[in-house]
Amino acid sequence: MSKKIVIMRGIPGSGKSTYVKENLDGAWICSADDFFYYWAEKSGTSYLEEFKPWLVGQAHQFCWGHFIKAVFNDIPLIVVDNTNIHGWEYKNYCLLGEKMGYKVEVVRLPAVLTAEEYHSRNTHGVPLEVIERMMAEYE
């Protein structure tokens, strides 16, 4: 059986999650956002109420742990649905995936809109200045 990992890359609001829903049905999805959704569900609040910028590092560790669980359970299709603005942010996903016999595909959604358009489209309340910084740093 063929095993595949899809790494999503793109600015918040670029359509990463929509792409996954429309093209990768049945995939095991690993996302730092899931950390905040998990806490929102536990506390009966919303994602935006639970999002704390100082917990982003912990959210990415949560995502990495979810990914490791999927890889070691031979899940056939795994998606890493984060912004992955810099190459180093997804390098370890690629390395572990390849070591475990997965084919790795990187889906890059190009930054073709303005920061204001991405800001209005993103569903996680990412501030405009953060989107502008991410666009400037996008590798």
Side-chain angles (χ1 to χ4, degrees), residues 79-106:
V79 174
V80 178
D81 187 14
N82 292 326
T83 57
N84 293 304
I85 299 301
H86 306 98
W88 62 264
E89 293 174 305
Y90 63 92
K91 183 179 181 180
N92 285 335
Y93 291 98
C94 296
L95 291 172
L96 180 59
E98 290 168 355
K99 198 130 198 81
M100 297 296 289
Y102 282 83
K103 177 182 182 256
V104 178
E105 175 186 352
V106 178

CSV table of all heavy atoms in Angstrom, one decimal, residues 79-106:
chain,number,residue,atom,x,y,z
A,79,VAL,N,-1.8,14.7,6.3
A,79,VAL,CA,-1.7,16.1,5.8
A,79,VAL,C,-1.2,16.9,7.0
A,79,VAL,O,-1.7,16.8,8.1
A,79,VAL,CB,-3.0,16.6,5.3
A,79,VAL,CG1,-2.9,18.1,5.0
A,79,VAL,CG2,-3.5,15.9,4.1
A,80,VAL,N,-0.1,17.7,6.7
A,80,VAL,CA,0.3,18.7,7.7
A,80,VAL,C,-0.2,20.1,7.2
A,80,VAL,O,0.3,20.6,6.2
A,80,VAL,CB,1.9,18.8,7.8
A,80,VAL,CG1,2.3,19.8,8.8
A,80,VAL,CG2,2.4,17.4,8.2
A,81,ASP,N,-1.3,20.6,7.9
A,81,ASP,CA,-2.0,21.7,7.5
A,81,ASP,C,-1.6,22.9,8.3
A,81,ASP,O,-2.4,23.4,9.2
A,81,ASP,CB,-3.5,21.5,7.5
A,81,ASP,CG,-4.3,22.6,6.9
A,81,ASP,OD1,-3.8,23.4,6.2
A,81,ASP,OD2,-5.5,22.6,7.2
A,82,ASN,N,-0.4,23.5,8.1
A,82,ASN,CA,0.1,24.7,8.8
A,82,ASN,C,0.5,25.6,7.7
A,82,ASN,O,0.6,25.3,6.6
A,82,ASN,CB,1.2,24.3,9.7
A,82,ASN,CG,0.8,23.5,10.9
A,82,ASN,OD1,-0.3,23.6,11.4
A,82,ASN,ND2,1.7,22.6,11.4
A,83,THR,N,0.9,26.9,8.2
A,83,THR,CA,1.3,27.8,7.2
A,83,THR,C,2.7,27.5,6.6
A,83,THR,O,2.9,27.7,5.4
A,83,THR,CB,1.4,29.3,7.8
A,83,THR,OG1,2.3,29.2,8.9
A,83,THR,CG2,0.0,29.8,8.1
A,84,ASN,N,3.6,26.9,7.4
A,84,ASN,CA,4.9,26.5,6.9
A,84,ASN,C,5.6,27.6,6.0
A,84,ASN,O,6.0,27.3,4.9
A,84,ASN,CB,4.8,25.2,6.2
A,84,ASN,CG,4.4,24.0,7.1
A,84,ASN,OD1,5.1,23.8,8.1
A,84,ASN,ND2,3.3,23.4,6.8
A,85,ILE,N,5.7,28.8,6.6
A,85,ILE,CA,6.2,29.9,5.9
A,85,ILE,C,7.7,29.7,5.5
A,85,ILE,O,8.2,30.1,4.5
A,85,ILE,CB,6.0,31.2,6.7
A,85,ILE,CG1,4.6,31.5,6.9
A,85,ILE,CG2,6.7,32.4,6.1
A,85,ILE,CD1,3.7,31.7,5.7
A,86,HIS,N,8.4,29.1,6.5
A,86,HIS,CA,9.9,28.8,6.3
A,86,HIS,C,10.1,27.4,6.1
A,86,HIS,O,9.4,26.5,6.6
A,86,HIS,CB,10.7,29.3,7.5
A,86,HIS,CG,10.4,30.7,7.9
A,86,HIS,ND1,9.5,31.1,8.9
A,86,HIS,CD2,10.9,31.9,7.4
A,86,HIS,CE1,9.5,32.4,9.0
A,86,HIS,NE2,10.3,32.9,8.1
A,87,GLY,N,11.1,27.0,5.3
A,87,GLY,CA,11.4,25.6,5.0
A,87,GLY,C,11.7,24.8,6.3
A,87,GLY,O,11.3,23.7,6.4
A,88,TRP,N,12.4,25.4,7.2
A,88,TRP,CA,12.7,24.7,8.5
A,88,TRP,C,11.5,24.2,9.2
A,88,TRP,O,11.5,23.3,10.0
A,88,TRP,CB,13.6,25.5,9.4
A,88,TRP,CG,13.1,26.8,9.9
A,88,TRP,CD1,13.2,28.0,9.4
A,88,TRP,CD2,12.2,27.0,11.0
A,88,TRP,NE1,12.5,29.0,10.1
A,88,TRP,CE2,11.9,28.3,11.1
A,88,TRP,CE3,11.7,26.1,12.0
A,88,TRP,CZ2,11.1,28.8,12.1
A,88,TRP,CZ3,10.8,26.6,13.0
A,88,TRP,CH2,10.6,28.0,13.1
A,89,GLU,N,10.3,24.9,9.0
A,89,GLU,CA,9.1,24.6,9.8
A,89,GLU,C,8.6,23.2,9.4
A,89,GLU,O,7.8,22.6,10.2
A,89,GLU,CB,8.1,25.7,9.6
A,89,GLU,CG,8.5,27.0,10.2
A,89,GLU,CD,7.5,28.1,9.9
A,89,GLU,OE1,7.2,28.4,8.7
A,89,GLU,OE2,7.0,28.7,10.8
A,90,TYR,N,8.9,22.7,8.2
A,90,TYR,CA,8.3,21.4,7.8
A,90,TYR,C,9.4,20.4,7.4
A,90,TYR,O,9.1,19.3,7.1
A,90,TYR,CB,7.3,21.6,6.6
A,90,TYR,CG,7.9,22.1,5.3
A,90,TYR,CD1,8.4,21.3,4.4
A,90,TYR,CD2,8.0,23.5,5.1
A,90,TYR,CE1,8.9,21.7,3.2
A,90,TYR,CE2,8.5,24.0,3.9
A,90,TYR,CZ,9.0,23.1,2.9
A,90,TYR,OH,9.5,23.6,1.8
A,91,LYS,N,10.6,20.8,7.6
A,91,LYS,CA,11.7,19.9,7.2
A,91,LYS,C,11.7,18.5,8.0
A,91,LYS,O,11.8,17.5,7.4
A,91,LYS,CB,13.1,20.6,7.5
A,91,LYS,CG,14.3,19.7,7.1
A,91,LYS,CD,15.6,20.5,7.3
A,91,LYS,CE,16.7,19.6,6.9
A,91,LYS,NZ,18.0,20.3,7.1
A,92,ASN,N,11.4,18.6,9.3
A,92,ASN,CA,11.4,17.4,10.1
A,92,ASN,C,10.3,16.5,9.7
A,92,ASN,O,10.4,15.2,9.8
A,92,ASN,CB,11.4,17.7,11.6
A,92,ASN,CG,12.8,18.1,12.1
A,92,ASN,OD1,13.8,17.8,11.5
A,92,ASN,ND2,12.8,18.9,13.1
A,93,TYR,N,9.1,17.0,9.3
A,93,TYR,CA,8.0,16.2,8.8
A,93,TYR,C,8.4,15.4,7.6
A,93,TYR,O,8.2,14.2,7.5
A,93,TYR,CB,6.8,17.1,8.5
A,93,TYR,CG,6.1,17.7,9.7
A,93,TYR,CD1,6.4,19.1,10.0
A,93,TYR,CD2,5.2,17.1,10.4
A,93,TYR,CE1,5.8,19.7,11.1
A,93,TYR,CE2,4.6,17.7,11.5
A,93,TYR,CZ,4.9,19.0,11.8
A,93,TYR,OH,4.3,19.6,12.9
A,94,CYS,N,9.2,16.1,6.7
A,94,CYS,CA,9.6,15.4,5.5
A,94,CYS,C,10.7,14.3,5.8
A,94,CYS,O,10.6,13.2,5.3
A,94,CYS,CB,10.3,16.4,4.5
A,94,CYS,SG,9.2,17.7,3.9
A,95,LEU,N,11.6,14.7,6.7
A,95,LEU,CA,12.7,13.7,7.0
A,95,LEU,C,12.1,12.4,7.7
A,95,LEU,O,12.4,11.3,7.3
A,95,LEU,CB,13.7,14.4,8.0
A,95,LEU,CG,14.6,15.4,7.4
A,95,LEU,CD1,15.4,16.1,8.5
A,95,LEU,CD2,15.5,14.9,6.3
A,96,LEU,N,11.2,12.6,8.7
A,96,LEU,CA,10.6,11.4,9.3
A,96,LEU,C,9.7,10.7,8.4
A,96,LEU,O,9.8,9.4,8.3
A,96,LEU,CB,9.8,11.9,10.6
A,96,LEU,CG,9.2,10.7,11.3
A,96,LEU,CD1,10.2,9.7,11.8
A,96,LEU,CD2,8.4,11.2,12.5
A,97,GLY,N,8.9,11.4,7.6
A,97,GLY,CA,8.1,10.7,6.7
A,97,GLY,C,8.8,9.9,5.7
A,97,GLY,O,8.5,8.7,5.4
A,98,GLU,N,9.9,10.4,5.1
A,98,GLU,CA,10.7,9.7,4.1
A,98,GLU,C,11.4,8.5,4.8
A,98,GLU,O,11.4,7.4,4.2
A,98,GLU,CB,11.7,10.6,3.5
A,98,GLU,CG,11.1,11.6,2.5
A,98,GLU,CD,12.0,12.7,2.1
A,98,GLU,OE1,13.1,12.8,2.6
A,98,GLU,OE2,11.6,13.5,1.2
A,99,LYS,N,11.9,8.7,6.0
A,99,LYS,CA,12.5,7.6,6.8
A,99,LYS,C,11.5,6.4,7.0
A,99,LYS,O,11.9,5.3,7.1
A,99,LYS,CB,13.0,8.1,8.1
A,99,LYS,CG,14.0,7.2,8.7
A,99,LYS,CD,15.2,8.1,9.1
A,99,LYS,CE,16.5,7.8,9.4
A,99,LYS,NZ,17.5,7.4,8.5
A,100,MET,N,10.2,6.8,7.2
A,100,MET,CA,9.2,5.8,7.4
A,100,MET,C,8.5,5.2,6.2
A,100,MET,O,7.5,4.6,6.2
A,100,MET,CB,8.2,6.3,8.4
A,100,MET,CG,8.7,6.7,9.8
A,100,MET,SD,9.4,5.3,10.7
A,100,MET,CE,7.8,4.5,11.1
A,101,GLY,N,9.1,5.6,5.0
A,101,GLY,CA,8.6,5.0,3.8
A,101,GLY,C,7.5,5.8,3.1
A,101,GLY,O,6.8,5.2,2.2
A,102,TYR,N,7.3,7.0,3.5
A,102,TYR,CA,6.2,7.8,2.9
A,102,TYR,C,6.8,8.6,1.7
A,102,TYR,O,7.9,9.0,1.7
A,102,TYR,CB,5.7,8.8,3.9
A,102,TYR,CG,4.7,8.2,4.9
A,102,TYR,CD1,5.2,7.6,6.0
A,102,TYR,CD2,3.3,8.4,4.7
A,102,TYR,CE1,4.3,7.1,6.9
A,102,TYR,CE2,2.4,7.8,5.6
A,102,TYR,CZ,2.9,7.2,6.7
A,102,TYR,OH,2.0,6.6,7.6
A,103,LYS,N,5.9,8.8,0.7
A,103,LYS,CA,6.2,9.8,-0.4
A,103,LYS,C,5.7,11.1,0.2
A,103,LYS,O,4.6,11.2,0.7
A,103,LYS,CB,5.4,9.4,-1.6
A,103,LYS,CG,5.6,10.4,-2.8
A,103,LYS,CD,4.7,10.0,-4.0
A,103,LYS,CE,5.0,11.0,-5.1
A,103,LYS,NZ,3.9,12.0,-5.3
A,104,VAL,N,6.5,12.1,0.0
A,104,VAL,CA,6.2,13.5,0.6
A,104,VAL,C,5.9,14.4,-0.6
A,104,VAL,O,6.8,14.6,-1.5
A,104,VAL,CB,7.3,14.0,1.5
A,104,VAL,CG1,6.9,15.4,2.0
A,104,VAL,CG2,7.5,13.0,2.7
A,105,GLU,N,4.8,15.1,-0.5
A,105,GLU,CA,4.4,16.1,-1.5
A,105,GLU,C,4.2,17.4,-0.8
A,105,GLU,O,3.5,17.5,0.3
A,105,GLU,CB,3.1,15.7,-2.2
A,105,GLU,CG,2.6,16.8,-3.2
A,105,GLU,CD,1.3,16.4,-3.8
A,105,GLU,OE1,0.8,15.3,-3.6
A,105,GLU,OE2,0.7,17.3,-4.5
A,106,VAL,N,4.8,18.5,-1.3
A,106,VAL,CA,4.6,19.8,-0.7
A,106,VAL,C,3.6,20.6,-1.6
A,106,VAL,O,3.9,20.8,-2.8
A,106,VAL,CB,5.9,20.6,-0.5
A,106,VAL,CG1,5.7,22.0,0.0
A,106,VAL,CG2,6.8,19.8,0.4
